[in-house]
């Protein structure tokens, strides 16, 4: 089973040591032969150079790479310049997002939502970029309702996105429902499932709180019962996430996008069980 759309996400390292570690991680993950790697972009442009440097390095290693681009806090001019830089490096893929500024910063900038960014990218660069956008099977935490969030998702596709990657989730049914509803609303682009391996329970709880991903009660209870026993957490996480990936692929998910957190082991272990 080798899904057509198998991709892996990194964040740009902040130190030389982190950069070196990511090279080692990447060499391991390259053996899985993903379709592309993606590299996140700090809202407000905080990682602009790091994102570009990482993408350029990955491309030199012979892999396709997609920088993320978040528009919050940006101006038309600043985004135009970033797009030109990506074009100058012959980068043809982008993950286009609104982003979240830290609380206290307000929204600022000339873009309010990701659909405006997608529209701008298309108006500035035509079909140069393959554009991926974010999707939320369990609803974006700031949305008014799931229906409203779905309409906002549809808006991004209508603005010219080619595909979507979901926020991570551990309820496969939420994904299938979302895809069905999106298709009923006229969306016919691939909606790739975002997968977060489970390796560390406190980190997972913290992330999930922020991004609105639900950890099912039984998974939470099991994780809590392992306390500091990291080996048991990883073994349990591997079983739960692999089984969900199997279900997703069997149910028609067009691909998987792994949030690797710059670690190779968990993604590799899941992948090796799937193939
Ligand atoms: P939007 O699609 O703009 O949606 C944001 C909210 O506004 C939603 O509640 C939506 O319902 C509502 N909304 C959307 N459009 C409209 C409209 N026209 N009118 C009224 N309401 C509207 N963040 C980063 O900073 N950097 C990254 O690299 C990054 N990578 C990510 C990758 C993936 C695959 C995912 C799923 C998320 C990523 N994020 C990243 C997080 C993302 O930026 C946040 O989830 C952010 O809060 C929303 O971004 P969005 O692009 O989904 O926003």
């Amino acid at each position: 089973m080798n899904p057509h759309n198998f991709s892996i996400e990194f964040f740009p390292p902040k130190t030389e040591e982190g950069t070196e570690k990511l090279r080692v991680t990447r060499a391991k993950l390259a053996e899985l032969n993903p379709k592309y790697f993606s590299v996140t972009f700090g809202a407000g442009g905080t990682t602009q150079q790091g994102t570009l440097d990482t993408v350029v390095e990955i491309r030199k290693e012979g892999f396709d790479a997609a920088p993320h681009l978040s528009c919050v806090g940006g101006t038309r001019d600043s985004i135009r310049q970033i797009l030109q830089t990506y074009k100058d490096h012959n980068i043809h893929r982008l993950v286009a997002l609104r982003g979240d500024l830290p609380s206290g910063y307000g929204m600022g900038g000339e873009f309010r939502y990701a659909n405006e960014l997608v529209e701008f990218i298309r108006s500035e660069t035509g079909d140069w970029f393959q554009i991926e956008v974010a999707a939320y099977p369990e609803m974006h935490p700031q949305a008014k309702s799931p229906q409203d969030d779905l309409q906002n998702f549809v808006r991004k596709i209508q603005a010219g996105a080619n595909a979507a990657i979901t926020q991570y989730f551990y309820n496969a049914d939420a994904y299938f429902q979302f895809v069905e509803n999106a298709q009923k609303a006229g969306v016919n682009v691939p909606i790739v499932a975002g997968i977060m391996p489970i390796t560390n329970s406190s980190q997972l709880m913290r992330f999930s709180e922020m991004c609105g991903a639900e950890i099912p009660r039984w998974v939470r209870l099991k994780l809590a019962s392992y306390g500091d026993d990291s080996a048991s957490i990883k073994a349990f996480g591997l079983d739960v996430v692999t089984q969900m990936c199997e279900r997703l692929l069997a149910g028609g998910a067009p691909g998987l996008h792994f949030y690797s957190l710059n670690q190779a082991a968990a993604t590799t272990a899941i992948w090796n069980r799937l193939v």
Side-chain angles (χ1 to χ4, degrees), residues 9-12 38-47 51 67-72 95-101 107 112-118 132-137 139-153 155-156 164-168 192 194 210-211 257 259:
E9 180 173 310
F10 300 126
F11 58 83
S38 84
V39 183
T40 61
F41 183 97
T46 47
T47 69
T51 300
H68 294 206
L69 176 56
S70 63
C71 60
V72 66
V95 184
L97 304 139
R98 185 196 69 180
D100 294 304
L101 284 180
M107 291 293 284
R112 289 168 309 162
Y113 299 109
N115 67 294
E116 296 170 5
L117 175 64
V118 175
E132 318 268 339
V133 290
Y136 300 86
M139 197 183 95
H140 183 267
Q142 292 160 357
K144 288 196 198 114
S145 67
Q147 291 80 354
D148 206 58
D149 206 28
L150 178 68
Q151 282 317 309
N152 291 329
F153 171 67
R155 233 190 279 270
K156 293 193 278 195
I165 303 169
T166 74
Q167 181 57 277
Y168 71 87
V192 168
M210 286 189 296
C211 70
H257 176 84
Y259 296 106

Side-chain angles (χ1 to χ4, degrees), residues 12-207:
K14 289 200 184 79
T15 60
E16 197 39 55
E17 192 193 350
T19 304
E20 206 37 64
K21 271 193 185 157
L22 183 57
R23 286 187 187 122
V24 175
T25 295
R26 224 161 44 224
K28 291 180 188 155
L29 290 172
E31 289 172 21
L32 310 182
N33 202 19
K35 186 172 179 193
Y36 68 95
F37 291 106
S38 84
V39 183
T40 61
F41 183 97
T46 47
T47 69
Q48 192 174 322
Q49 192 60 42
T51 300
L52 177 67
D53 291 347
T54 309
V55 163
V56 168
E57 205 175 308
I58 294 170
R59 285 171 52 82
K60 275 193 191 137
E61 290 164 357
F63 280 86
D64 201 358
H68 294 206
L69 176 56
S70 63
C71 60
V72 66
T75 61
R76 294 167 79 82
D77 272 350
S78 67
I79 300 288
R80 187 179 288 121
Q81 269 175 31
I82 294 172
L83 293 172
Q84 189 56 49
T85 306
Y86 290 165
K87 279 186 82 172
D88 292 345
H89 283 88
N90 207 24
I91 292 164
H92 279 276
R93 266 181 190 282
L94 270 183
V95 184
L97 304 139
R98 185 196 69 180
D100 294 304
L101 284 180
S103 57
Y105 278 71
M107 291 293 284
E110 293 177 5
F111 297 89
R112 289 168 309 162
Y113 299 109
N115 67 294
E116 296 170 5
L117 175 64
V118 175
E119 211 174 294
F120 183 71
I121 297 170
R122 284 287 175 240
S123 72
E124 290 286 313
T125 62
D127 287 335
W128 178 275
F129 292 105
Q130 152 88 18
I131 304 177
E132 318 268 339
V133 290
Y136 300 86
E138 294 179 327
M139 197 183 95
H140 183 267
Q142 292 160 357
K144 288 196 198 114
S145 67
Q147 291 80 354
D148 206 58
D149 206 28
L150 178 68
Q151 282 317 309
N152 291 329
F153 171 67
V154 172
R155 233 190 279 270
K156 293 193 278 195
I157 304 303
Q158 286 170 345
N162 302 98
I165 303 169
T166 74
Q167 181 57 277
Y168 71 87
F169 55 85
Y170 297 104
N171 296 304
D173 289 330
Y175 169 83
F176 289 126
Q177 260 272 325
F178 180 85
V179 171
E180 194 183 321
N181 291 338
Q183 285 169 349
K184 279 186 191 149
V187 169
N188 57 12
V189 304
I191 301 176
V192 168
I195 305 296
M196 178 72 87
I198 298 177
T199 56
N200 175 321
S201 97
S202 54
Q203 185 190 46
L204 182 70
M205 301 300 162
R206 212 173 49 245
F207 281 175

Side-chain angles (χ1 to χ4, degrees), residues 198-242:
I198 298 177
T199 56
N200 175 321
S201 97
S202 54
Q203 185 190 46
L204 182 70
M205 301 300 162
R206 212 173 49 245
F207 281 175
S208 305
E209 191 65 36
M210 286 189 296
C211 70
E214 190 201 28
I215 314 290
R217 182 172 176 276
W218 69 276
V219 173
R220 242 184 314 117
L221 290 174
K222 277 264 191 162
L223 288 173
S225 77
Y226 295 129
D228 291 337
D229 178 359
S230 152
S232 296
I233 291 171
K234 285 180 181 156
F236 171 69
L238 178 58
D239 284 347
V240 169
V241 178
T242 308

